[in-house]
Amino acid sequence: MRSQPTVIVLAAGRGSRFQGPQHKLAQPFEGGAPVLVCTLRRVVASQMSVVVVTTAALEPLARSVVASRDVVVLPPADSQPGLGMGSSIAAGVEARPHAPGWLMMPGDMPLVRPSTLTAVASALQTHPVAYAQHAGRRGHPVGFSAELFTDLVMLQGDEGARRLVARYPSQAVDVDDAGALIDLDTVEDFAAAQRHQQQHAVVGK
């Protein structure tokens, strides 16, 4: 059996669109657990290795689920030029340079099922890029094979990996998981996700 890719949980953004009382990743979500903790629990349940790229403010949440060695702390995104989604991806990949691939998982997607992560990981065995797709819509995670290491570590600023998905042959992995499309950018998103979670309270599938 081939070794599994590493899941990189991206949790260093400002979350500026979320107008709640605290950072969206610290908001209580499932059973009172913060959003980031819920996301990490699902990632850990996939039994793949994980690296969390986050800030000092959110580091304690990450370390409540994963080991300290699996947490990469970056300065806040607005503290200096050149920080953003791209630099977070690069930092996560650099932390596990010898992985057979990497799955990019936003920290604000606590409803993605572990089985969705493993399905995308399986597709990476035969494709350079793979991503979850539900009901014809592209979702997360998005996976990249080891051959894209140089492209990934060169990302910077707010430049995400979308152009890599367009440049290389990409495989859509159809999943019966609406959670692959649900992120929590706004308070309204948060409320809708909680309703979805209550209606589909099946953990670990």
Side-chain angles (χ1 to χ4, degrees), residues 62-122:
R63 291 177 61 180
S64 72
V65 183
V66 303
S68 298
R69 65 177 180 274
D70 297 325
V71 181
V72 176
V73 178
L74 296 182
D78 57 357
S79 67
Q80 62 188 61
L83 293 176
M85 178 67 73
S87 49
S88 290
I89 291 172
V93 172
E94 287 176 338
R96 294 293 184 275
H98 302 299
W102 306 270
L103 300 188
M104 304 305 160
M105 180 68 188
D108 67 346
M109 299 190 71
L111 296 178
V112 175
R113 297 175 182 171
S115 58
T116 294
L117 292 162
T118 55
V120 175
S122 294

Side-chain angles (χ1 to χ4, degrees), residues 8-12 51-55 70 72-74 87-89 91-92:
I8 298 175
V9 178
L10 303 167
V51 170
V52 186
V53 182
T54 190
T55 60
D70 297 325
V72 176
V73 178
L74 296 182
S87 49
S88 290
I89 291 172

Side-chain angles (χ1 to χ4, degrees), residues 78-169:
D78 57 357
S79 67
Q80 62 188 61
L83 293 176
M85 178 67 73
S87 49
S88 290
I89 291 172
V93 172
E94 287 176 338
R96 294 293 184 275
H98 302 299
W102 306 270
L103 300 188
M104 304 305 160
M105 180 68 188
D108 67 346
M109 299 190 71
L111 296 178
V112 175
R113 297 175 182 171
S115 58
T116 294
L117 292 162
T118 55
V120 175
S122 294
L124 278 187
Q125 296 183 9
T126 52
H127 299 85
V129 180
Y131 57 87
Q133 177 173 278
H134 176 72
R137 296 173 57 194
R138 181 182 297 174
H140 284 88
V142 180
F144 302 92
S145 67
E147 66 189 86
L148 271 66
F149 173 81
T150 301
D151 296 86
L152 292 166
V153 297
M154 290 179 64
L155 294 174
Q156 57 186 327
D158 287 326
E159 178 189 24
R162 189 179 299 272
R163 67 177 178 82
L164 301 183
V165 177
R167 178 187 301 174
Y168 293 96

